[in-house]
């Protein structure tokens, strides 16, 4: 737990004090956010606000990950727990960095062209597919090698699972490695676009992502304390309930670091925002959240824990289908947050109320996760 707390604290401080520096740098580089001409008119006052702020919490998360591992080296050695970097970290931090890189290209083109249209849809989709497929293969085809209780080396879990999961793996829903890689890509696409669509108001996506990542830190740490690879926990008895995941402490450390980095960034991103995360941050957070769902074996729990992202994404889907089939719009504007802006709600009211919705989804998901454990051991 100490390593997770250290990572969260370091990420928070790096992001909190690094964001003002990023604001100065991006302002000097004239990397201001272009505003859509067909968007809400009240957004015109935000024109020129520095964007690409996602770079800050990506860097903060990586620095915090290193700090967390330094903290781990001060703990008493335990045979089965890997202190060094793992494939799990490669997958999770890889998704964070490379999905963020796709978003950075998009933001860069927007700034360079002084227009809200950056990377075209085909190019962005191709980038997300490549990142998702690359790390999906790594997650499914590289099993871990860790020390067992006798000191011998044994192959164990992969980062992802071939079985579709809810609270844990559903064994009879095994779709094989190829099917799992396809699912991995689909989850990456869904999560990245969900967070990206939510990123439309000051602090909205940052605050919601903080809650989701904080929840995954709790889930992963609980899995670590009840880990099937821990011989001190797994013992004979009908009430033994463990989680067959790979490197849960590593997952908790990265989730905690990213949550802490988002809180530090939110200090400057909340209304009125001094900097925007841009697609750099939105795609990075979406990629990481997708990786969290796959690595904790809670894929079907993601739509609940990220309920706000689902609601906002569905508002866009409904709007597009309605307009193309009937020529009528269901909402004044999509995504949903802009509908309420045009209905007269203040930006702060929308953000806070949407945060409440995000919190409800997170609370429901955690309740389901822990109730499953309690039901199994009672």
């Amino acid at each position: 737990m100490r390593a997770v707390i250290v990572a969260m604290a370091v990420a928070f401080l790096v992001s909190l004090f690094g964001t003002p520096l990023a604001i100065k740098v991006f302002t000097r580089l004239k990397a201001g956010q272009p505003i859509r001409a067909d968007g809400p008119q009240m957004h015109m006052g935000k024109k020129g606000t520095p964007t690409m702020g996602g770079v800050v919490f990506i860097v903060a998360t990586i620095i915090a990950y290193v700090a967390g591992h330094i903290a781990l080296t001060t703990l008493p050695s335990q045979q089965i727990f890997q202190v060094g970097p793992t494939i799990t970290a490669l997958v999770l931090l890889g998704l964070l960095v490379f999905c963020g890189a796709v978003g950075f290209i998009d933001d860069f083109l927007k700034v360079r062209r002084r227009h809200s249209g950056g990377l075209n849809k085909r190019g962005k989709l191709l980038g997300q597919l490549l990142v998702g497929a690359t790390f999906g293969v790594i997650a499914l085809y590289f099993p871990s090698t860790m020390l067992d209780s006798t000191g011998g080396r044994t192959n164990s879990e992969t980062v992802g699972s071939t079985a579709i999961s809810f609270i844990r793996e559903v064994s009879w829903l095994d779709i094989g490695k190829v099917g799992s890689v396809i699912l991995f890509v689909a989850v990456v696409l869904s999560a990245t676009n969900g967070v990206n669509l939510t990123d439309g108001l000051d602090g909205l996506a940052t605050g919601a992502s903080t809650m989701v990542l904080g929840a995954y830190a709790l889930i992963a740490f609980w899995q670590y304390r009840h880990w099937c690879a821990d011989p001190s926990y797994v013992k004979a008895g009908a009430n033994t309930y463990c989680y067959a995941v790979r490197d849960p402490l590593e997952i908790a450390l990265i989730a905690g670091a990213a949550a802490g980095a988002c809180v530090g960034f939110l200090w400057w991103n909340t209304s009125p925002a001094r900097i925007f995360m841009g697609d750099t941050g939105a795609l990075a957070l979406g990629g990481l959240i997708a990786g969290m769902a796959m690595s904790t074996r809670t894929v079907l729990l993601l739509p609940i824990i990220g309920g706000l992202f689902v609601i906002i994404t569905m508002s866009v889907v409904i709007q597009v289908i309605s307009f193309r089939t009937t020529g009528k719009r269901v909402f004044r504007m999509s995504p949903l947050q802009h509908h309420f802006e045009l209905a007269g709600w203040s930006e702060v009211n929308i953000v806070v109320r949407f945060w409440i919705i995000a919190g409800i989804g997170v609370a429901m998901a955690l309740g389901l996760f822990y109730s499953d454990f309690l039901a199994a051991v009672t």
Side-chain angles (χ1 to χ4, degrees):
M1 188 63 173
R2 184 170 68 186
V4 178
I5 293 173
V6 167
M8 291 179 69
V10 169
F12 169 74
L13 292 173
V14 172
S15 188
L16 179 66
F17 294 107
T19 302
L21 177 61
I23 293 171
K24 292 180 180 178
V25 171
F26 289 135
T27 299
R28 191 169 300 168
L29 294 175
K30 298 182 179 180
Q33 175 69 48
I35 303 298
R36 287 172 49 187
D38 59 345
Q41 290 303 303
M42 59 280 288
H43 285 200
M44 291 301 171
K46 300 180 180 184
K47 186 176 182 180
T49 302
T51 187
M52 302 189 223
V55 170
V56 177
F57 54 74
I58 293 172
V59 172
T61 300
I62 294 171
I63 292 173
Y65 171 75
V66 174
H69 270 274
I70 292 173
L72 277 177
T73 60
T74 65
L75 297 174
S77 61
Q78 300 177 70
Q79 284 184 315
I80 64 164
F81 300 143
Q82 293 176 319
V83 176
T86 63
I87 291 291
T88 302
L90 173 65
V91 170
L92 295 178
L93 294 178
L95 287 169
L96 177 75
V97 171
F98 286 97
C99 284
V102 174
F104 183 86
I105 294 171
D106 186 45
D107 286 334
F108 177 79
L109 292 176
K110 289 177 183 176
V111 170
R112 186 175 182 180
R113 297 168 180 171
R114 304 297 177 187
H115 189 270
S116 60
L119 190 63
N120 60 49
K121 293 180 180 179
R122 184 176 297 177
K124 188 182 291 186
L125 178 62
L126 179 60
Q128 292 168 310
L129 284 170
L130 287 173
V131 174
T134 299
F135 290 102
V137 169
I138 295 173
L140 269 300
Y141 285 87
F142 292 84
S144 66
T145 301
M146 63 174 63
L147 292 173
D148 62 18
S149 58
T150 63
R153 302 192 73 82
T154 177
N155 286 327
S156 186
E157 300 289 337
T158 53
V159 178
S161 171
T162 59
I164 296 176
S165 56
F166 180 45
I167 303 300
R168 57 189 299 156
E169 294 174 351
V170 183
S171 57
W172 55 272
L173 284 179
D174 195 304
I175 57 177
K177 288 188 176 181
V178 174
S180 295
V181 171
I182 294 172
L183 176 63
F184 193 101
V185 173
V187 173
V188 169
L189 288 174
S190 300
T192 51
N193 287 296
V195 177
N196 198 22
L197 290 171
T198 303
D199 180 34
L201 301 182
D202 295 353
L204 178 56
T206 310
S209 296
T210 301
M211 295 182 211
V212 171
L213 290 167
Y216 276 120
L218 292 174
I219 288 172
F221 191 76
W222 186 264
Q223 291 176 332
Y224 167 68
R225 295 303 300 267
H226 305 87
W227 191 20
C228 294
D230 183 356
S232 67
Y233 173 72
V234 178
K235 55 187 178 297
N239 288 339
T240 299
Y241 188 94
C242 65
Y243 297 92
V245 296
R246 174 173 177 171
D247 309 316
L249 183 59
E250 192 89 319
I251 301 168
L253 193 153
I254 294 171
C262 284
V263 174
F265 182 76
L266 184 60
W267 182 274
W268 306 100
N269 182 235
T270 194
S271 183
R274 295 277 305 280
I275 188 171
F276 298 139
M277 70 166 69
D279 280 19
T280 305
L283 296 189
L285 290 176
L288 180 59
I289 289 169
M292 290 290 162
M294 298 299 293
S295 60
T296 57
R297 314 287 172 88
T298 56
V299 175
L300 296 183
L301 193 65
L302 178 58
I304 302 174
I305 203 168
L308 178 65
F309 304 139
V310 174
I311 291 169
I312 288 177
T313 300
M314 289 307 300
S315 73
V316 175
V317 173
I318 292 169
Q319 186 86 323
V320 170
I321 292 175
S322 176
F323 187 74
R324 289 185 178 178
T325 56
T326 68
K328 298 180 180 179
R329 292 181 171 86
V330 176
F331 307 104
R332 289 180 170 91
M333 180 178 288
S334 66
L336 188 61
Q337 60 267 31
H338 299 319
H339 167 82
F340 289 106
E341 276 191 292
L342 296 181
W345 290 23
S346 71
E347 182 171 9
V348 173
N349 276 343
I350 297 169
V351 170
V352 172
R353 288 167 181 170
F354 276 36
W355 280 352
I356 292 171
I357 294 171
I360 291 171
V362 166
M364 288 175 59
L366 289 176
L368 287 169
F369 180 81
Y370 290 114
S371 64
D372 177 73
F373 177 85
L374 293 174
V377 298
T378 55

